[in-house]
Amino acid sequence: MLKKEELPACPVATTVQLIGSKWKLLIIRNLLARPWRFNELRKDLEGISQKVLTDSLRSMEEDGIITRTVYPEVPPRVEYSLSELGESMRPVIKVMEQWGVDYKAQM
């Protein structure tokens, strides 16, 4: 997790730094519905590479946006879900969704 002094002074820039990539936003969108396993996310997010998904998940876990749960099974099962901080993004994503719906309706 970044230290406060490492974050941009502008709050919008901070948000963009933490979740501003296309893939991170789509991962959050999926995790708002339920926990997902890695391969489920990879199949659902058409066009994402394994490396980008891995890097995005690790970054969001380090930033406290998602949690990674490893179940002690054979083979191991790993699920990703939103943390409390990640859940706080719900209204932001909903507004983005509505904006997209409104924009498409104007076309």
Side-chain angles (χ1 to χ4, degrees):
M1 187 175 266
L2 294 172
K3 296 177 185 159
K4 190 174 184 178
E5 56 273 2
E6 295 174 311
L7 295 171
C10 171
V12 173
T14 298
T15 304
V16 169
Q17 181 173 327
L18 293 172
I19 59 139
S21 80
K22 165 188 171 181
W23 296 116
K24 286 182 179 181
L25 286 170
L26 295 176
I27 290 166
I28 291 170
R29 176 206 62 194
N30 282 22
L31 295 177
L32 283 169
R34 63 175 175 85
W36 289 65
R37 295 175 72 174
F38 182 89
N39 284 329
E40 289 179 309
L41 285 168
R42 198 174 76 186
K43 288 176 187 170
D44 191 71
L45 300 172
E46 197 169 309
I48 194 169
S49 70
Q50 183 168 335
K51 181 186 181 338
V52 169
L53 179 56
T54 299
D55 290 348
S56 297
L57 290 169
R58 282 185 184 153
S59 172
M60 290 192 300
E61 184 181 11
E62 287 173 12
D63 293 332
I65 296 168
I66 66 170
T67 57
R68 180 178 183 268
T69 304
V70 180
Y71 294 93
E73 302 172 353
V74 177
R77 177 171 54 109
V78 177
E79 284 186 346
Y80 296 91
S81 59
L82 290 176
S83 66
E84 189 174 327
L85 178 63
E87 275 291 334
S88 72
M89 289 298 303
R90 186 177 295 276
V92 175
I93 301 299
K94 289 303 268 182
V95 168
M96 291 175 72
E97 176 185 31
Q98 187 57 55
W99 188 91
V101 167
D102 294 344
Y103 179 81
K104 285 176 140 183
Q106 295 176 11
M107 302 304 290

